[in-house]
Amino acid sequence: MKTQDLPARFRVDGGRNNILPGVDPGSTEGTNEKHARTVLPDLVGELGGLQERLWAEHERSLLVVLQGMDTSGKDGTVKHVLGAMSPGGIAVANFKRPTQDELAHDFLWRIRAELPGPGQVTVFNRSHYEDIVTVRVWGLAPESKWRPRFEQINAFEAELVAAGTAVVKLFLHISYDEQRKRLLARLDRPDKRWKFDHADLEARQRWTAFQNAYEEALSSCSSPEAPWYVIPADHKWYRNWLVATVLREELSRMDPRYPQPDLDLDALRRRLAPPN
């Protein structure tokens, strides 16, 4: 399969069933480790150039949504794929357990406060989908409250797209066995133990429930305008390469342009000429 065809391979068709079982978390389709590691710096650099053009254009924006089970690599994706983007044009929002103030508002209230402005790329490290998936799995609200949120999210994302914000949603798909390895690695390495959270073990015990909840969220909330992509994430090098490939396709499709102000270039050059 050609590299340019891969994003479509992993894009979710809304309404489809058995989405996650149909994607191997250990897939390396379309490349190999040597090739992926070799080309990633150029891919990341290309993303940086596209983001600079988007920032200079200062009209549209890009929202990148990252979701996945614990250890799937959300932080690593931000670091290794988006790290080359100019800090002035990118923001990362991390959504934790809602505060009492946030709970007093509609679930999208805190999400709207973090949306990208003109020219900006914003990454949601976890997102409004927590208010369906996590709330559902842990029984934090009755189904009568979280189920209508599917339609609310679809309307919200359609509103963003209509206003000029492109939306790309990436589900980092890790296997049960690979998560075990990564959790053990956190225990084995003194410099990683700070990342270990007992809550990760509690969530792991509800693995099937989380997979089922994500399956319905992906199926119900993927549209041509705001698609979900299922990113095989057992191999970090492949995850980074594929995410960079997907984002390059989206930013290239947006085709941001440097503005061309109406300047008298000759006159300006004369004024900048060294004195005689």
Side-chain angles (χ1 to χ4, degrees), residues 16 36 44-45 64 68 81 135 159 180 193 197 201 203 227 250-251:
R16 200 179 78 198
V44 169
V64 180
V81 179
V135 165
E159 171 193 327
R180 173 181 173 274
R193 285 175 191 156
D197 189 336
L201 295 180
E250 180 59 30
L251 280 165

Side-chain angles (χ1 to χ4, degrees), residues 23-24 38 54 58 74 78 86 111 115 126 184 188 190 195 198 213 220 235 247 250 252 271:
V23 178
D24 177 7
T38 299
L54 184 71
H58 217 67
K74 296 179 288 295
V78 173
S86 171
I111 304 299
L115 289 173
R126 300 188 186 272
L184 285 173
D188 293 340
K195 298 178 91 174
H198 284 85
S220 300
H235 300 285
L247 294 181
E250 180 59 30
S252 296
R271 293 186 63 182

Side-chain angles (χ1 to χ4, degrees), residues 26-44:
S27 174
T28 59
E29 184 176 345
T31 190
N32 56 57
E33 184 172 2
K34 181 179 179 180
H35 174 261
R37 291 188 182 277
T38 299
V39 302
L40 184 62
D42 289 338
L43 263 176
V44 169

Side-chain angles (χ1 to χ4, degrees), residues 113-125:
E114 301 291 346
L115 289 173
Q120 193 171 40
V121 176
T122 291
V123 182
F124 282 178
N125 186 340

Side-chain angles (χ1 to χ4, degrees), residues 89-110:
I90 186 170
V92 179
N94 295 278
F95 293 97
K96 305 293 186 181
R97 182 187 297 272
T99 65
Q100 287 301 312
D101 187 37
E102 290 168 342
L103 288 171
H105 295 81
D106 175 83
F107 78 102
L108 290 172
W109 179 78
R110 65 174 181 162

